[in-house]
Amino acid sequence: DAGVTQSPTHLIKTRGQQVTLRCSPISGHKSVSWYQQVLGQGPQFIFQYYEKEERGRGNFPDRFSARQFPNYSSELNVNALLLGDSALYLCASSFPGAGSVGQYFGPGTRLTVT
Amino acid sequence: EDQVTQSPEALRLQEGESSSLNCSYTVSGLRGLFWYRQDPGKGPEFLFTLYSAGEEKEKERLKATLTKKESFLHITAPKPEDSATYLCAATTGTASKLTFGTGTRLQVTL
């Protein structure tokens, strides 16, 4: 069975630009969460979407936004990129409503902002 | 504010030398405690979920335990392929937000 997939794998952007990252959850999973992982740190929660609705938001500025599509895939958008946005962006999926069940992560998108 | 703290930051073991990694947590109403393994440049790989104090789970050379304040990941007779960063995370309530620690970098040498 296919796991969580993310695209692109790597991305290089310039300060001030905008970026869109994509995620496809495991088949049957309806909840998608996004995390930012800076080198040497644990992942930080950005958003959770379930049934196309935002169910949780972490402490990130409004430059970060996301959405979930009818097929449960998701996009993360970041506007007005800053150097500090350089990180590994991780998508995780889980069973519907299963907040305390394991989340399964994709391979991540490495974003470099120059 | 929910907090998860892992120790040590880094650990170097010889092959076969057993040890434990610690994860202490301060959260309101723990719903689940998770352990993940992460290889460099890759996404975290799910290992275990623990739900209540006293619970234990095992997988090959790994065993996770949970108390009311902390969790331990015991590694028995590790091999070089066990080298990775081990992440601990906690979740509360019904949302899926995971609060992660900063991880323990484990290196197992021959």
Side-chain angles (χ1 to χ4, degrees), chain A:
Chain A
D1 288 341
V4 177
T5 59
Q6 293 186 243
S7 64
T9 305
H10 296 90
L11 204 52
I12 300 176
K13 290 287 188 178
T14 304
R15 278 178 300 175
Q17 286 187 317
Q18 175 264 341
V19 67
T20 298
L21 312 180
R22 296 176 176 83
C23 170
S24 292
I26 293 171
S27 178
H29 286 192
K30 298 182 178 181
S31 177
V32 170
S33 297
W34 287 95
Y35 292 80
Q36 179 196 66
Q37 187 176 24
V38 175
L39 197 62
Q41 300 294 315
Q44 296 291 314
F45 174 76
I46 309 176
F47 287 111
Q48 186 215 355
Y49 276 78
Y50 172 55
E51 290 286 9
K52 303 181 289 297
E53 291 187 3
E54 183 182 303
R55 297 300 180 98
R57 173 185 283 257
N59 188 23
F60 281 81
D62 292 342
R63 299 185 295 107
F64 289 76
S65 63
R67 55 179 176 168
Q68 187 177 33
F69 299 98
N71 65 353
Y72 303 108
S73 67
S74 177
E75 287 183 351
L76 175 70
N77 295 285
V78 187
N79 294 321
L81 286 167
L82 303 174
L83 294 179
D85 294 331
S86 295
L88 181 66
Y89 288 84
L90 296 162
C91 173
S93 75
S94 60
F95 286 112
S100 58
V101 176
Q103 294 183 44
Y104 297 85
F105 284 83
T109 293
R110 171 69 63 188
L111 173 65
T112 302
V113 182
T114 62

Side-chain angles (χ1 to χ4, degrees), chain B residues 5-10 20-24 103-104:
Chain B
T5 304
Q6 292 188 247
S7 62
E9 289 186 8
S20 295
L21 312 182
N22 177 264
C23 170
S24 62
T104 293

Side-chain angles (χ1 to χ4, degrees), chain B residues 47-82:
Chain B
L47 294 174
F48 304 109
T49 307
L50 302 167
Y51 296 104
S52 57
E55 188 174 2
E56 298 181 352
K57 288 192 177 175
E58 289 188 65
K59 179 181 179 180
E60 296 180 354
R61 295 177 292 282
L62 300 177
K63 178 180 177 181
T65 62
L66 181 66
T67 72
K68 289 186 178 181
K69 293 184 178 181
E70 57 193 348
S71 177
F72 294 93
L73 184 66
H74 308 277
I75 303 177
T76 302
K79 298 181 178 181
E81 52 262 42
D82 294 323

